Amino acid sequence: GQNIDQPTEMTATEGAIVQINCTYQTSGFNGLFWYQQHAGEAPTFLSYNVLDGLEEKGRFSSFLSRSKGYSYLLLKELQMKDSASYLCAVNNFNKFYFGSGTKLNVKP
Amino acid sequence: GAGVSQSPSNKVTEKGKDVELRCDPISGHTALYWYRQSLGQGLEFLIYFQGNSAPDKSGLPSDRFSAERTGGSVSTLTIQRTQQEDSAVYLCASSLVRAQANYGYTFGSGTRLTVV
């Protein structure tokens, strides 16, 4: 089966840094994606990793270790608008398997 | 169109009725996916269409669920004899050939289905 785990909820302060972890066990692997989903809206693509290491895109970075089945999303200089759910998803031969998402609450 | 369009945005139906949900993908996207998201849960894969190939239906939860894609474009997800546990947001996504590294899927805004 496919198993993707993320913390359910996290709280952080505006301006701070937060790291959202994701561990996975899947039958195949073609890349790991992070999506952001605001309440009541569709998920939007944030980042993609297929090789080990860190990918940086502005305030957001994503890290992957394939040998450990582990990824994290790093959000810097948090803003109130970053309050959302963050979904970790593994691409397994054209199907995406999603974690349940981490709800991030950013407080002033 | 510019994005993935889904209709209706909200649907309330009585238990036992059939419903049809529509997805109009981005023009030129050959891959189309349906997912279901129950309240507070992650996305559950339902079905995947790729061009003219036979769809991957491995995620459909029961034989009450079916989907078709006409002309390689618009897709309809049909749920027969709806049950209360079918209440969820149904999301459609499309991509070029397969999910690309630079943007993955593009999701529609979803159809919120409530079975009463």
Side-chain angles (χ1 to χ4, degrees):
Chain A
Q2 324 295 332
N3 195 34
I4 300 171
D5 289 317
Q6 310 177 230
T8 303
E9 191 164 359
M10 300 179 71
T11 299
T13 304
E14 191 176 15
I17 299 173
V18 70
Q19 177 174 312
I20 303 174
N21 296 324
C22 171
T23 57
Y24 64 90
Q25 291 177 305
T26 56
S27 58
F29 182 85
N30 296 106
L32 188 140
F33 289 70
W34 284 93
Y35 285 83
Q36 181 189 59
Q37 186 177 27
H38 286 98
E41 298 182 10
T44 55
F45 170 76
L46 283 180
S47 69
Y48 166 78
N49 295 71
V50 67
L51 299 176
D52 291 352
L54 189 68
E55 294 284 341
E56 297 188 75
K57 291 177 69 175
R59 294 190 299 114
F60 293 2
S61 303
S62 57
F63 172 83
L64 175 67
S65 169
R66 288 171 296 170
S67 62
K68 296 181 179 178
Y70 168 69
S71 174
Y72 67 72
L73 179 69
L74 193 71
L75 292 77
K76 304 175 187 175
E77 301 168 16
L78 280 174
Q79 302 176 9
M80 297 301 293
K81 67 178 182 179
D82 297 330
S83 291
S85 287
Y86 291 85
L87 307 175
C88 172
V90 172
N91 183 359
N92 183 359
F93 296 100
N94 298 324
K95 283 190 289 194
F96 276 56
Y97 295 93
F98 285 82
S100 298
T102 299
K103 184 179 180 183
L104 176 64
N105 303 301
V106 180
K107 296 191 171 181
Chain B
V4 177
S5 177
Q6 290 188 247
S7 60
S9 55
N10 279 284
K11 175 73 176 179
V12 179
T13 189
E14 291 181 354
K15 178 181 173 181
K17 300 280 190 182
D18 298 351
V19 294
E20 284 190 352
L21 312 180
R22 176 188 167 104
C23 172
D24 199 345
I26 292 174
S27 178
H29 280 194
T30 58
L32 186 148
Y33 306 77
W34 283 98
Y35 282 84
R36 176 169 72 174
Q37 188 173 31
S38 301
L39 187 63
Q41 301 296 311
L43 276 68
E44 175 189 3
F45 168 79
L46 296 177
I47 189 169
Y48 161 57
F49 294 91
Q50 175 56 62
N52 296 320
S53 302
D56 179 345
K57 304 179 182 180
S58 60
L60 295 178
S62 76
D63 58 8
R64 296 187 294 104
F65 287 72
S66 62
E68 62 178 20
R69 188 178 185 191
T70 54
S73 181
V74 172
S75 176
T76 303
L77 177 69
T78 301
I79 308 173
Q80 295 177 311
R81 305 181 302 282
T82 51
Q83 303 295 312
Q84 288 185 327
E85 61 262 28
D86 299 334
S87 296
V89 176
Y90 289 81
L91 289 163
C92 176
S94 70
S95 70
L96 283 169
V97 182
R98 66 187 64 184
Q100 297 293 314
N102 55 345
Y103 58 82
Y105 294 157
T106 300
F107 281 91
S109 297
T111 295
R112 182 174 297 278
L113 175 66
T114 304
V115 182
V116 297

